[in-house]
Amino acid sequence: MAADGSLGGSTWAKTPESTTPRKPDLSVSARKIKDNAADWHNLILKWESLSDAGFTTANNIANLKISLLNKDQIEVENSIPVFGENEEKRYLKDDQELESLCKELQVTLDALSKIQVKMEKLTSTTKGICELENYYYGEEHRRPPLFHTWPTAHFYEVSRQLSDMYQKDLLLKHTVAVELPHTIDRDLSLSYLSMWLHQPYVESQSKLLLESMLLETGHRDL
């Protein structure tokens, strides 16, 4: 494990191709599955870091938007402009800051999108290993496990579940990023912030799934 908490991943070496069909080399499959597990761990660490940064930006957007709305409300209630020349400049500056924060949040979303694409690729790779095993073993039920107890198909199922969770959370975050700057209700703004922070689509069992996979592949001590 590296100093930043990440695990080594994607280091497996390719084996020379053979012209004679044969059953898959379990050591190669196991190495790839183990690398995938490490990659899952590292991608989720990056996701959480970006999500936290995005929440800070989203919170700043909400606070600034509420501040701008309060100024508008004061002007409407007084039926006369309350902004002098300096206040007008301040209002324009706030508006520019809001635009800058929205761009900053979009950069975070773009980075999260790239991570989610990598998650999908890990899932696809695991599915490919399963299909290779199915091709060679057919209906055989006594397939040797790659590690301790998990059949290879279970690694795919866990990867698929995790990938689906983060895909749904990404879509939710996109919605929050679009709606939050235009929200004029404080309670609704707080609801959007809560959705971003608590990631309701990333179920509580996601940590259990990841840790179980790390245990099975030897990244965690049994």
Side-chain angles (χ1 to χ4, degrees):
M1 181 180 292
D4 62 357
S6 63
L7 299 174
S10 299
T11 59
W12 70 296
K14 294 183 178 179
T15 56
E17 294 183 0
S18 173
T19 57
T20 303
R22 60 180 181 178
K23 290 187 177 182
D25 186 339
L26 294 181
S27 64
V28 174
S29 296
R31 195 178 310 127
K32 184 55 182 171
I33 291 289
K34 185 171 184 176
D35 286 345
N36 282 2
D39 289 340
W40 266 113
H41 175 270
N42 296 336
L43 288 175
I44 289 176
L45 280 180
K46 292 177 182 178
W47 180 284
E48 294 301 329
S49 177
L50 284 168
S51 182
D52 289 345
F55 175 76
T56 299
T57 304
N59 190 48
N60 289 337
I61 290 174
N63 289 335
L64 183 56
K65 182 66 177 179
I66 290 172
S67 175
L68 293 174
L69 290 172
N70 287 340
K71 290 179 181 179
D72 289 340
Q73 186 175 1
I74 292 173
E75 182 175 354
V76 170
E77 290 176 352
N78 290 325
S79 300
I80 56 173
V82 297
F83 299 134
E85 182 178 349
N86 290 336
E87 286 297 326
E88 288 179 356
K89 290 181 180 179
R90 174 63 181 172
Y91 188 89
L92 178 60
K93 182 179 179 181
D94 288 343
D95 200 41
Q96 292 172 340
E97 183 180 353
L98 180 62
E99 182 179 357
S100 176
L101 287 170
C102 289
K103 290 180 179 178
E104 182 180 328
L105 190 58
Q106 184 58 51
V107 170
T108 299
L109 282 172
D110 291 342
L112 288 170
S113 296
K114 291 179 180 178
I115 290 178
Q116 206 280 319
V117 168
K118 292 179 180 179
M119 290 176 172
E120 290 183 352
K121 288 181 178 178
L122 290 178
T123 303
S124 178
T125 299
T126 308
K127 183 179 180 181
I129 294 174
C130 290
E131 291 174 344
L132 184 63
E133 281 195 3
N134 290 337
Y135 176 78
Y136 282 103
Y137 286 100
E139 297 299 323
E140 292 183 32
H141 297 292
R142 293 186 176 181
R143 303 181 187 185
L146 297 178
F147 299 97
H148 300 290
T149 61
W150 283 20
T152 307
H154 192 59
F155 287 102
Y156 167 65
E157 180 60 25
V158 169
S159 293
R160 186 188 61 77
Q161 289 182 54
L162 289 172
S163 183
D164 288 348
M165 289 179 195
Y166 284 96
Q167 182 182 42
K168 290 177 182 177
D169 187 62
L170 179 62
L171 292 174
L172 178 61
K173 281 180 165 59
H174 273 290
T175 299
V176 171
V178 170
E179 298 296 334
L180 186 61
H182 305 289
T183 301
I184 61 175
D185 183 90
R186 183 176 183 276
D187 290 339
L188 185 55
S189 294
L190 293 176
S191 295
Y192 282 137
L193 290 175
S194 179
M195 292 176 194
W196 183 293
L197 178 63
H198 296 294
Q199 305 186 138
Y201 287 115
V202 180
E203 301 170 13
S204 58
Q205 68 169 342
S206 63
K207 291 184 179 180
L208 177 61
L209 291 173
L210 176 62
E211 288 301 316
S212 296
M213 183 162 54
L214 294 175
L215 278 170
E216 177 69 17
T217 53
H219 289 295
R220 295 277 193 266
D221 293 331
L222 291 172

